[in-house]
Amino acid sequence: MRPQTEASGLPVPDGDIGLPAGLVAPSYGLDGLAAVMPAAAGALGHELTTATGIDSRAAAESFTGGFGSATRCVVVVVDGLGARNLADRGGHAPTMRGLLAGARTLTSSFPSTTAAALGTLGTGTSPSLTGLLGYTQRNPATGGLATLVSWQEQSDPYRRGAKMSQPLTVAPRDLQREPTVLESLVARGVGVSAPGPAKYADSGMTTAALRGPRYVVTGNDFGDAVDATIAALRARDGAEHRLVYLYQGAVDKAGHRHGWTSPHWGHALEDTDRELRRLLRGVPRGTLVLVTADHGQVTTTPARQHDVAGDPALSDGVALLGGEPRALHVYTQEGTDPAEVAARWSDRLGTDAVVGLRDDVLRAGWFGPATGPGSRSPEHVREVMGDVVVATTGGEDGTGAATVVDSRLHSPEARAMPGVHGSLTPYEMHVPLLVAVA
């Protein structure tokens, strides 16, 4: 069983799927990221139940401690702000630190990465239903490698020279078929909006994971989106209930480029915290504000980086490598036994990774509930998953993370990235839920 308190003193969810000590099982129930949007819906007085069985009223009661019905709500996602990252560097975030006393720790999806987690958040379900399974994944229709956050595809990812990317041939609604909580609220007359830069307005990722809101184009600064949020909640256009989805990506970007222990990360957190303080002061009185994250971050150790390209034990029998350096989808060549590939990867990586076959990790609940509603993954999602799935270890204390890369696919800059996420450590999996009423 996992310890029942976070390093910050916040309570953590219970549950165990047989992972090695120090790793965290994903959760897709009321103790997980999947419950945030249903909780917001419930707080606004709307009843809905997601495909994985999350009830909006139960989620609202669990998250807000019986806070009565609200007419205004903001859901803020600070990309990359894990609960332990925040606890360790909370001196840069006095506003958020002040909310920790009444906060909870939630568990993210697997992999603990933006595409999978935002799909989980937006639908209130799990990656095994949304088909949003990592940073990159195979497109079964073409055999190419799809990058979900940009909705681009490399038809020949191993070609020499510059990589050639084209728009992903799969429509967002064809891959991600679950209704989003936001579009359900719109259908019931809630005024839902999402402010942000123009590049996200009609992106594949936005359409797949968070479709439904009226997108309000703002400048690129988070402060611009905060201004738009305040304006949307104060608008007088007849909508009785309003919800705003507000995203901040600067913290995650700073962590990737410089590491989450760097001054750059601290500065990004300070800027975010300052804008959140302004948000709380600017929205109408009684507005419910839920602040969470999609995942946290850990720091890599170069000595624990494994390169598939230079190691036959890892490359033999592998047709394509997807996912990311902390959570990988291994697609095997036709005629190759995936069990043989998994055994070789397990032997080679040793304690640096947990390696499993697709069906085994599905039964273990990595990508979604193992039993009950939503436990059966649709065929169009199963065929996107790797034949072998790998979660790397290290990083249990936020540092020393092992990674697996392929120098034929990943640029030198990507392989040298100090801040990463995707796997099952507490720093990556545990995210805060901060609740405030303006």
Side-chain angles (χ1 to χ4, degrees):
M1 303 293 288
R2 299 200 304 272
Q4 291 305 294
T5 57
E6 258 282 11
S8 61
L10 302 181
V12 302
D14 189 15
D16 188 3
I17 56 172
L19 292 171
L23 298 187
V24 175
S27 174
Y28 301 103
L30 290 180
D31 54 3
L33 182 65
V36 172
M37 283 297 185
L44 291 171
H46 291 269
E47 296 185 10
L48 58 85
T49 302
T50 71
T52 49
I54 296 177
D55 177 79
S56 60
R57 295 296 185 120
E61 178 69 24
S62 174
F63 281 14
T64 65
F67 172 76
S69 61
T71 61
R72 302 287 187 269
C73 180
V74 185
V75 177
V76 184
V77 172
V78 183
D79 198 325
L81 183 61
R84 292 198 175 190
N85 302 126
L86 176 59
D88 289 353
R89 304 206 65 190
H92 295 275
T95 302
M96 286 186 273
R97 188 177 69 242
L99 297 173
L100 286 176
R104 292 181 55 184
T105 299
L106 302 178
T107 302
S108 189
S109 62
F110 178 81
S112 50
T113 194
T114 298
L118 289 188
T120 296
L121 173 89
T123 63
T125 64
S126 65
S128 65
L129 294 181
T130 67
L132 305 176
L133 299 171
Y135 182 70
T136 62
Q137 60 191 47
R138 180 179 61 185
N139 178 1
T142 63
L145 189 64
T147 302
L148 294 184
V149 293
S150 61
W151 217 259
Q152 294 284 308
E153 177 180 350
Q154 296 175 18
S155 59
D156 184 8
Y158 292 104
R159 72 185 294 274
R160 295 182 181 275
K163 303 298 182 184
M164 301 297 291
S165 293
Q166 299 292 334
L168 179 58
T169 58
V170 179
R173 293 174 184 266
D174 289 339
L175 176 59
Q176 199 303 91
R177 302 176 186 179
E178 290 295 313
T180 73
V181 175
L182 298 177
E183 65 183 339
S184 297
L185 290 177
V186 170
R188 299 179 187 191
V190 178
V192 184
S193 59
K199 64 181 179 180
Y200 299 137
D202 297 310
S203 72
M205 189 65 213
T206 297
T207 304
L210 296 156
R211 57 181 173 256
R214 176 178 64 90
Y215 196 90
V216 180
V217 175
T218 69
N220 292 324
D221 291 338
F222 184 52
D224 297 332
V226 168
D227 289 339
T229 299
I230 295 170
L233 293 176
R234 290 191 172 276
R236 298 180 180 274
D237 57 5
E240 182 179 357
H241 295 90
R242 299 181 186 279
L243 184 146
V244 178
Y245 167 73
L246 181 58
Y247 171 82
Q248 161 66 316
V251 172
D252 187 61
K253 290 179 181 178
H256 281 309
R257 294 172 181 171
H258 306 285
W260 72 273
T261 61
S262 68
H264 305 81
W265 193 92
H267 292 155
L269 184 60
E270 290 171 1
D271 291 344
T272 300
D273 191 79
R274 182 177 61 254
E275 291 300 332
L276 288 178
R277 181 171 65 251
R278 194 165 65 84
L279 174 74
L280 290 170
R281 292 175 175 175
V283 296
R285 178 174 296 183
T287 298
L288 176 65
V289 181
L290 304 176
V291 181
T292 190
D294 49 354
H295 55 75
Q297 276 202 0
V298 292
T299 303
T300 61
T301 292
R304 298 183 70 181
Q305 185 173 98
H306 304 265
D307 188 357
V308 172
D311 191 342
L314 300 178
S315 62
D316 287 356
V318 175
L320 184 65
L321 191 67
E324 46 223 300
R326 290 285 287 168
L328 301 108
H329 291 276
V330 182
Y331 304 98
T332 58
Q333 294 175 351
E334 187 175 354
T336 299
D337 183 358
E340 293 180 1
V341 174
R344 278 192 280 106
W345 275 62
S346 185
D347 288 344
R348 174 64 77 200
L349 298 178
T351 59
D352 279 353
V354 180
V355 182
L357 296 172
R358 177 189 62 193
D359 289 346
D360 290 339
V361 300
L362 279 171
R363 282 192 293 268
W366 285 25
F367 289 111
T371 60
S375 59
R376 182 164 183 169
S377 185
E379 186 58 34
H380 80 279
V381 174
R382 289 174 60 88
E383 65 184 4
V384 175
M385 296 179 183
D387 302 299
V388 177
V389 179
V390 180
T392 56
T393 59
E396 288 82 358
D397 64 352
T399 63
T403 53
V404 177
V405 301
D406 189 327
S407 55
R408 297 167 297 178
L409 294 173
H410 303 127
S411 67
E413 294 77 15
R415 300 196 301 272
M417 193 176 289
V420 291
H421 51 79
S423 194
L424 296 165
T425 67
Y427 273 83
E428 293 160 285
M429 292 294 291
H430 284 161
V431 296
L433 177 71
L434 310 176
V435 180
V437 178

